[in-house]
Structures are given as structure tokens and as C-alpha cells.
Amino acid sequence: MLPALPDGDERELESSEEGGGGAGDERRAERHGSTYHSLYGYRSCRSSRRDGGAMGSPPGSDFSLSLLDTNLPAEAETELRSFIAKRLAKGAVFEEMGNVATVELSIPECKVGCYYCLFQQESLLETATLESENNAPEYVVCFLGGSEKGLELFRLELDKYVQSLKLSLDLEKTLETCVNPYLRSWFENSICPIQRVVQLFQEKLAFLLHAALSYTPVEVKNADERTEKDISRFLAAASLQGLVQEGTMTSLCIAMTEEQHKSMVVDCIGAQPQLHNTGSNRFCEDWMHAFVNGAEGGNPFLFQQILENFKLKAIQDINNLKRFIRQAEMNHYALFKCYTFLKNCGSGDILLKIVKVEHAEMPEARNVVTVLEEFMRETAVA
């Protein structure tokens, strides 16, 4: 089954199927504006049932929320705390699992996307006993910026960011020197890496897309820590991992490593990275233009949507090729359809490698793939 786009916008996919612009003008117009955060201490307090409710909690609730750090104006923070308290009272917040919603606050943006997550300090989780578990400090963190739809695209990244926050949160350290900088940098660290990679590579991004799709190893040299992490994250986000069978990905990685004997090298010694041992195809070049054109809008949320469209189109092409191969096992005309499809899709080199790995144990399909490889080699020579 094909993965669905987060917003289910089929029209947007249709406009980008030829590498066309990824997301439409409506998404391009979105601006993330200012970004905010809030960190609360969460404490269960059954006595609040008797005293009419704890601070920041609805009357009758059995918990309290105490503000630890925020960059929201006072009135907006109070509104946010009320929103979080209501969600907690309804049981709509699950520990360690982030949620995304739209909140209306007294800030210039008025309506913003809000990611919020309830979690427990990592060091205490590891050492907690059954007796102390109920009394261990817990926290609620909120990240606000952009729209609900935009933040939803990054929910998994924000979940990872909260996991790192758990390691940073130590009551013996001061919030101002250790935790506050981490909270303030959530947007730069979670939302902006893909945008930074696009701006860094520009037209050379096609080579990076090709490496991600084909699972070609990539070696990064002379890059600062942030740039190296950005490139690694981009490669992971642009790959088809999790969308095709795990065994296929493992076999493909082995096959690509054995075939090329070399990694693609990204040397960041100068203002623009120098790339060696590269590969590309028309599919990746078309999508590169979608990313580069998207950079003009200055909207970091746009790039994740373009990546989703990019991967969805690649999966659709793989599934179409598989269907043609099944038909070609019984029908010679379908074999020609396979060949025509591979020539026209723009990524025949990668698709053929993927289906070759997947059909290695299927004799009839393997024969079809072998014939297609011969056709493609002859076409390349010609």
C-alpha cells in the first residue's frame, strides 16, 4: 500500500509528479513567524481535588503545572498553560508521545501550531524504583511556531528532540545556562536542517537525492558538526527506509557498496561543497529544481512536504514497475511496457536495482529483470 501524504493533498502531488514544484502557492505563502517554547513541571497532586484545583489546572484535576521556562508573553503563557491543562485533564496526552494542535494565543501570529509532550527525566527513568516512580519529576514541553500542518510534518523529529532534552535536563544544572539554550534552539535544530542543506548544495542537491534513493554510502569531509548532522539527516529523510521491505534495504545497501567500491565524497572545504564519485538521473534533477525553487519562498516547512512528495513518487514508480514485471512474466508486450516505463520515468537505474534485489529469489521475475538490464545497457551504449 502506498504511503499517504500527511495532508492528503492529491492535487499537490499531481503538480509535482514531474519534479514540478513540490508544494503549491498556498503552502509557499505560509510563514513561520516567531517561534516560542514553554517548559512546565508536571506533578500529580490528589489534594487538588480538595483545594479546588492546583495552579494552572482546571478545578477538580489531580495534577499541577508549574512554569519553569518560556519566551512567551505572560498573557499568552497563561493561555497556553490553560490549553495544556485541559488536554491533560481529558487524558489526551500520552507520556513520551508528542501531539500537535493549533492554539490561539495573545501573540502577533494569533494562531500557531503547538507541539507538546509529557516526559520524565531520563536519569530518573533509569534508576526509578516502583516506590519512587510515582513521585519522579515529570515535565511538559511545548514548541510553538508555524502551523499545525507544518509541525505535524516534523512530529517525529520533535519527538527525537525531546528525547535529547531528557538527557540535558538535570535539576543540578541551571535552566538558564543548560536547558534554556536547548529549548530556544528547537526550531533551528529540528525544522531548519533540510532548508540549510538545500541552500548549501543548490543544483548539486541532485547528487545527494540520488545517493539517498540508491543507498550509496556518503562520506562527509571538512564539515563542521552541524553541517555534517544536517547532511546525514537529509540523506535519512530522503531515503525510502521504512517504505520498502527491510530485507530489501539491507540487500540494496550491500549491493551498492559492493558495486561502487567507493562512497560518494562531500568535501565542505570551501564555500560550496565539492562532490566526488557522484551519480544522478533525470528524476533527481527534476526534484532538485523543486527544492531549489522552494528555497525562494523562505519557508522551512515546505521542504519536508517536497521530500514526502519525492518519496511518494519514487514508491509509486517502484510499485508500477513491479506490476509491469508481474505482467511481463506471462506477456511479452508487458515486457516492452516495462522497458518503456524504465526509459521514461527518469530513475530507471535505481528502480531496476531495487526490483532486482526484491526478485532475487523469484525465477520468472528474475528472468524479466535480466532482460530489462540488457535492454537498458544496450540503450545506454547506443
Side-chain angles (χ1 to χ4, degrees), residues 60-77:
S61 62
D62 59 352
F63 61 87
S64 67
L65 288 174
S66 55
L67 178 64
L68 300 178
D69 189 72
T70 189
N71 63 344
L72 280 168
E75 184 178 358
E77 186 280 315

Side-chain angles (χ1 to χ4, degrees), residues 173-213:
K173 300 176 182 177
T174 63
L175 282 170
E176 184 177 350
T177 59
C178 298
V179 180
N180 180 275
Y182 195 85
L183 293 171
R184 286 183 178 274
S185 61
W186 74 268
F187 192 83
E188 283 295 314
N189 290 336
S190 296
I191 309 299
C192 295
I194 294 173
Q195 181 183 42
R196 289 196 293 265
V197 170
V198 173
Q199 292 171 340
L200 177 64
F201 281 80
Q202 296 293 319
E203 286 77 10
K204 294 179 181 179
L205 192 73
F207 301 123
L208 213 57
L209 290 170
H210 189 271
L213 272 190

Side-chain angles (χ1 to χ4, degrees), residues 196 200 220-232 266-271:
R196 289 196 293 265
L200 177 64
V220 181
K221 294 182 177 181
N222 300 311
D224 58 69
E225 183 180 358
R226 188 177 81 165
T227 299
E228 190 167 353
K229 286 183 177 179
D230 286 351
I231 294 172
S232 177
V266 178
D267 191 345
C268 299
I269 192 68

Side-chain angles (χ1 to χ4, degrees), residues 36-38 67 70-80 105-108:
Y36 308 93
H37 69 269
S38 279
L67 178 64
T70 189
N71 63 344
L72 280 168
E75 184 178 358
E77 186 280 315
T78 301
E79 294 164 346
L80 175 63
L105 304 175
S106 300
I107 53 177

Side-chain angles (χ1 to χ4, degrees), residues 83-331:
F83 167 80
I84 295 298
K86 289 176 182 177
R87 300 307 295 264
L88 288 164
K90 290 179 180 178
V93 182
F94 300 98
E95 195 156 345
E96 311 294 329
M97 293 178 59
N99 297 270
V100 178
T102 298
V103 294
E104 294 190 42
L105 304 175
S106 300
I107 53 177
E109 294 82 7
C110 187
K111 289 185 179 181
V112 292
C114 174
Y115 167 93
Y116 54 97
C117 184
L118 172 67
F119 67 95
Q120 193 177 84
Q121 189 175 330
E122 184 69 23
S123 58
L124 291 171
L125 269 177
E126 295 172 355
T127 59
T129 64
L130 290 175
E131 292 78 15
S132 65
E133 206 167 33
N134 292 332
N135 298 320
E138 293 182 291
Y139 306 90
V140 175
V141 65
C142 302
F143 297 129
L144 303 97
S147 68
E148 177 180 349
K149 186 179 292 185
L151 283 188
E152 184 62 44
L153 290 170
F154 289 89
R155 188 172 56 82
L156 295 180
E157 289 299 329
L158 291 169
D159 284 346
K160 293 177 185 176
Y161 200 71
V162 171
Q163 292 300 313
S164 298
L165 174 62
K166 287 163 59 175
L167 298 174
S168 303
L169 194 59
D170 187 335
L171 295 180
E172 295 179 358
K173 300 176 182 177
T174 63
L175 282 170
E176 184 177 350
T177 59
C178 298
V179 180
N180 180 275
Y182 195 85
L183 293 171
R184 286 183 178 274
S185 61
W186 74 268
F187 192 83
E188 283 295 314
N189 290 336
S190 296
I191 309 299
C192 295
I194 294 173
Q195 181 183 42
R196 289 196 293 265
V197 170
V198 173
Q199 292 171 340
L200 177 64
F201 281 80
Q202 296 293 319
E203 286 77 10
K204 294 179 181 179
L205 192 73
F207 301 123
L208 213 57
L209 290 170
H210 189 271
L213 272 190
S214 61
Y215 280 79
T216 300
V218 175
E219 180 183 354
V220 181
K221 294 182 177 181
N222 300 311
D224 58 69
E225 183 180 358
R226 188 177 81 165
T227 299
E228 190 167 353
K229 286 183 177 179
D230 286 351
I231 294 172
S232 177
R233 175 174 163 186
F234 183 92
L235 290 167
S239 76
L240 301 182
Q241 190 161 6
L243 300 180
V244 298
Q245 297 176 9
E246 186 175 342
T248 297
M249 297 317 327
T250 302
S251 300
L252 186 60
C253 289
I254 294 172
M256 292 304 294
T257 303
E258 290 177 348
E259 178 181 320
Q260 296 188 359
H261 303 294
K262 297 179 182 178
S263 301
M264 186 180 94
V265 178
V266 178
D267 191 345
C268 299
I269 192 68
Q272 262 213 324
Q274 301 299 312
L275 277 60
H276 310 282
N277 307 325
T278 59
S280 188
N281 56 31
R282 180 163 47 84
F283 181 82
C284 294
E285 289 167 3
D286 288 344
W287 280 95
M288 172 273 294
H289 289 296
F291 280 99
V292 172
N293 291 339
E296 298 172 3
N299 174 16
F301 294 103
L302 172 65
F303 299 103
Q304 187 72 13
Q305 184 65 71
I306 297 177
L307 267 182
E308 295 295 331
N309 288 359
F310 167 76
K311 293 193 292 184
L312 179 56
K313 187 63 173 71
I315 287 292
Q316 286 178 329
D317 286 348
I318 290 171
N319 288 346
N320 284 333
L321 180 58
K322 288 180 183 178
R323 187 175 72 252
F324 291 146
I325 288 174
R326 286 195 299 270
Q327 296 170 357
E329 293 174 13
M330 307 292 294
N331 185 318

